[in-house]
Amino acid sequence: MSSLYQRLGGQEAVDAVVETFYRKVLMDDRISEFFEDIDMEQQIQKQKAFLTMVFGGPVNYSGLDMREGHKHLVDRGLNDQHVDAVIELLGTALAEHGVNQEEISEVASIANSVRDDVLNRTTG
Amino acid sequence: MSDVEICYKERTYRVYPGETVLESLERAGIFVPSSCRAGVCQSCLLKSEEGTPPPRSQEGLKPQLKASGHFLACICRPQEYIKCAPAHTADFRGNVTIKDIKKIGKNVALVRFHKPDNFNYTPGQFVTLTLRGGLSRSYSIATYLNSESYFDIHVRHIEKGRMSTWFHSQAQKGDRLWMEGPKGECTYNPGHPNEPLTLIGTGTGIAPLYAIAKDALENGHSGPIALYQGALKEESLYFEDEIENMAASHSNIRYVRCVLHKSFRQNITYGDLKDIALSELTDANTRRIYLCGDPGLVRILKKSFFLAGVSIKKIHADPFVVSEHKK
């Protein structure tokens, strides 16, 4: 079976989804504070890389990368509610790009699989 | 397939068949920032100074980065010798001599330099100038014809600013400065002559924008170009005649002067620069944006235009940071 990455239409489609997703993140009062004061372009490149992996494209992040990349945010109070909000907005962005609910759930469960790493806690 | 040699920071390394530039350097114990290792996150960006990187290693980069030889080390499997350097390394490093200095606005001096033969720039780029003693600042190039024998910068006098005070009170014709450049990707994007463009600048940020607009016209750009010059007070506006002349001879250029504090001039729009520019925004999904000047404003504008629907790939920002080593 082809990956969602391929079904979406490869890197260009992922890029478009990321921009939609990032706009939602920046406008959402629940989480926008974590995205202030950072270089937008670098942030977008990182999101592209992460979502490329989530969609089954040619990127592999290790749990360690995820931990180190978010540690400073955990120190600033990043918690489960924020991760929920991010996954919810990702789903909305995907829906706007014509992805069906079943696939959105699949993406959410992959995104959920890195939750403990993102929040820098030991897997229970 | 046999090994290929690469050079990085004056040392030579061997790249085994199938290996990437990143893997080769890491195997030799050289640290290069990296993250996704799949050519997406652009953390491992390097610049080729000699040799051609494979096209695959430039996929997804801005045209300006491709043109200046940048590539992604994590997906670069070189087929030939490449001399590489950290991203954004300047092509020219050497002395430049002041040709002329004149005052062109309240607190703004035009400094003209003799252009060295081996220094070539694209309008909109900037250079870093260093005085004897080590004081260093970046300035955008205000001219637009690389073929001329000179190039200009505009220097606004900043109170207590050491470099700008030197330019305004001590610098003389014949003085030499160390220069590195050109730098920056805030340049015209050829090949899209109908693309609507919005250029917004405050202070001397208008200088590179004027150069970009001129370069666009030189390239036959026919799409609409909106050029906003922002200032707190009307007396801070300068370079108006040059921009007006350009607008007068090209019907696709619209010149908007935005001033925050009200006065009585007829040809000025009063109000908040961001609000005015956003209220006049059309074709957000096809428009390209250039932002130069006050870093706080550039940051807000970048975010605002992105949220208004402009792709981040089409927003070129050049914040003029007032600090020790940046502009």
Side-chain angles (χ1 to χ4, degrees), chain B residues 198-212:
Chain B
T198 294
L199 292 72
I200 307 177
T202 60
T204 49
I206 205 67
L209 295 180
Y210 171 78
I212 292 165

Side-chain angles (χ1 to χ4, degrees), chain A residues 11 15 19 22-23 26-27 36-41 44-46 48-49 52 58-61 65, chain B residues 35-38 40-43 56 60 62 299 302-303 305-313 315:
Chain A
Q11 201 59 53
D15 291 0
E19 291 214 354
Y22 191 39
R23 283 191 187 101
L26 288 176
M27 287 192 282
E36 299 288 341
D37 305 319
I38 46 175
D39 184 283
M40 285 177 64
E41 264 155 304
I44 282 186
Q45 289 305 334
K46 283 180 184 161
K48 281 179 187 170
T52 301
V59 175
N60 272 304
Y61 271 116
D65 293 331
Chain B
S35 180
C36 78
R37 309 181 80 88
V40 188
C41 77
Q42 301 189 2
S43 305
R56 165 79 185 100
K62 280 189 176 175
R299 202 168 152 260
K302 188 175 182 180
K303 187 168 166 180
F305 276 101
F306 174 66
L307 291 179
V310 180
S311 169
I312 197 76
K313 291 178 196 162
I315 305 178

Side-chain angles (χ1 to χ4, degrees), chain B residues 289-304:
Chain B
I289 313 278
Y290 294 88
L291 310 168
C292 297
D294 177 74
L297 185 71
V298 164
R299 202 168 152 260
I300 291 167
L301 286 169
K302 188 175 182 180
K303 187 168 166 180
S304 303

Side-chain angles (χ1 to χ4, degrees), chain B residues 127-287:
Chain B
V127 293
T128 303
L129 294 164
T130 307
L131 288 180
R132 215 177 312 166
L135 187 63
S136 191
R137 294 284 186 277
S138 294
Y139 296 94
S140 285
I141 298 167
T143 35
Y144 61 94
L145 285 174
N146 187 52
S147 54
E148 293 277 7
S149 61
Y150 63 85
F151 69 94
D152 297 344
I153 60 168
H154 294 178
V155 182
R156 185 165 62 97
H157 188 215
I158 296 162
E159 215 179 319
K160 292 181 183 164
R162 286 183 290 157
M163 188 89 160
S164 67
T165 301
W166 182 83
F167 272 118
H168 277 260
S169 59
Q170 290 182 51
Q172 288 182 354
K173 194 170 149 178
D175 282 348
R176 289 210 306 181
L177 289 87
W178 180 261
M179 182 174 87
E180 295 189 5
K183 305 175 185 179
E185 282 83 48
C186 202
T187 58
Y188 179 63
N189 196 43
H192 306 275
N194 301 316
E195 203 170 50
L197 308 178
T198 294
L199 292 72
I200 307 177
T202 60
T204 49
I206 205 67
L209 295 180
Y210 171 78
I212 292 165
K214 277 286 195 181
D215 192 33
L217 296 171
E218 291 280 317
N219 276 280
H221 194 88
S222 55
I225 303 175
L227 176 59
Y228 295 85
Q229 182 177 26
L232 294 177
K233 297 176 185 170
E234 64 169 56
E235 65 255 34
S236 302
L237 295 173
Y238 79 105
F239 214 56
E240 293 171 86
D241 290 350
E242 287 80 355
I243 305 170
E244 234 163 36
N245 286 340
M246 175 174 71
S249 51
H250 296 89
S251 58
N252 57 331
I253 294 208
R254 197 164 66 90
Y255 174 32
V256 185
R257 278 166 272 217
C258 296
V259 170
L260 194 61
H261 299 303
K262 190 156 177 64
S263 81
F264 299 98
R265 267 178 61 183
Q266 295 297 313
N267 55 3
I268 290 178
T269 309
Y270 294 98
D272 184 88
L273 178 59
K274 174 176 79 99
D275 294 345
I276 294 165
L278 281 170
S279 72
E280 297 178 350
L281 174 68
T282 55
D283 309 304
N285 52 351
T286 56
R287 189 169 288 270

